[in-house]
Amino acid sequence: MKLAIASLVLGSAAAFSPSAFSGTALSAASNGATMDMRYKVAVIGGGPSGACAAEIFAQEKGIDTVLIERKMDNAKPCGGAIPLCMIGEFDIPESTVDRKVRKMKLISPTNVEVDIGDTLQPNEYIGMCRREILDKYLRDRAISYGAEAIQGLVTKIDVPEDHKETESQYTLHYQEFTAGSSAGVPKTMDVDLIVGADGANSRVAKAMDAGEYNFA
């Protein structure tokens, strides 16, 4: 199965793929053994996970990478706090950090309070980012390596019956949006590998029948 789910957990982007495609074709493309073969990868979802996945694929020889995000200027109100280690590990400039927080109190719906920041050193902080700025920076970096960005919404994924035994391609059905238009243009695209970074209600997860999973 050549579909995958990408997740952002504690500031790390990870792609999980049960397919032999990830283990053989990617390595072959990297070592030049199959320079005449090209693969097309679609990363669905342009948040931090999807952008980082697209950046990795875009740097691989023999792979055409497409990043599909439904709203490029999405100002997501949640998920803006990042640990300090993410700045270095993901080579993110501090200019993407909107506010440096050193003390924080979280209160749950049941009034359970948790103080955050007591263990921070004087030179440490919790970075508060505006997602429209952070996400755009990561997407632009993937694009600079050769990824193609499409503003669109994936509506359906055709999974071939023999996809577990063969290298048959998947067909994406999506609506592509252009600036100034609220109506999308229906299009299709055939790809060899799909990485789902489209959140908790992932269409990729439904297409691959992932069932219950503890990452989003």
Side-chain angles (χ1 to χ4, degrees):
M1 192 169 215
K2 297 170 292 183
L3 291 87
I5 300 292
S7 67
L8 187 73
V9 181
L10 298 179
S12 297
F16 303 89
S17 174
S19 168
F21 176 88
S22 295
T24 58
L26 287 184
S27 61
S30 298
N31 63 28
T34 55
M35 292 298 291
D36 58 331
M37 297 178 65
R38 295 198 68 84
Y39 294 91
K40 190 165 189 174
V41 174
V43 179
I44 302 175
S49 290
C52 290
E55 179 182 345
I56 292 170
F57 280 113
Q59 296 178 71
E60 291 285 343
K61 294 180 179 179
I63 295 180
D64 295 325
T65 305
V66 178
L67 176 62
I68 302 176
E69 166 59 36
R70 64 185 177 87
K71 202 171 188 301
M72 293 293 187
D73 59 349
N74 187 28
K76 190 175 182 180
C78 62
I82 62 174
L84 181 60
C85 62
M86 186 176 176
I87 298 294
E89 290 178 7
F90 286 77
D91 196 21
I92 300 173
E94 285 197 37
S95 59
T96 61
V97 177
D98 187 64
R99 187 170 301 177
K100 298 178 181 180
V101 176
R102 293 176 173 82
K103 294 287 184 180
M104 183 186 300
K105 182 186 291 288
L106 297 182
I107 304 175
S108 75
T110 57
N111 290 321
V112 176
E113 298 184 3
V114 178
D115 290 315
I116 298 177
D118 292 340
T119 61
L120 292 177
Q121 299 300 315
N123 63 332
E124 295 179 334
Y125 60 87
I126 300 168
M128 303 299 295
C129 297
R130 292 169 56 186
R131 285 290 301 276
E132 68 270 26
I133 294 176
L134 174 64
D135 294 8
K136 182 180 185 303
Y137 174 82
L138 294 173
R139 283 196 299 266
D140 287 348
R141 192 163 66 183
I143 293 170
S144 72
Y145 283 112
E148 176 190 359
I150 295 176
Q151 182 165 326
L153 175 64
V154 174
T155 57
K156 182 183 177 184
I157 302 174
D158 291 339
V159 180
E161 294 183 359
D162 60 350
H163 69 102
K164 292 184 179 181
E165 293 80 25
T166 71
E167 295 297 321
S168 297
Q169 290 186 311
Y170 301 92
T171 300
L172 297 178
H173 299 259
Y174 64 99
Q175 297 281 332
E176 183 172 4
F177 300 98
T178 57
S181 176
S182 59
V185 178
K187 293 187 176 183
T188 62
M189 180 189 302
D190 293 329
V191 298
D192 299 290
L193 174 69
I194 301 173
V195 177
D198 47 344
N201 298 315
S202 169
R203 283 183 167 86
V204 177
K206 291 181 174 63
M208 67 186 289
D209 195 21
E212 297 294 329
Y213 49 92
N214 59 358
F215 50 88

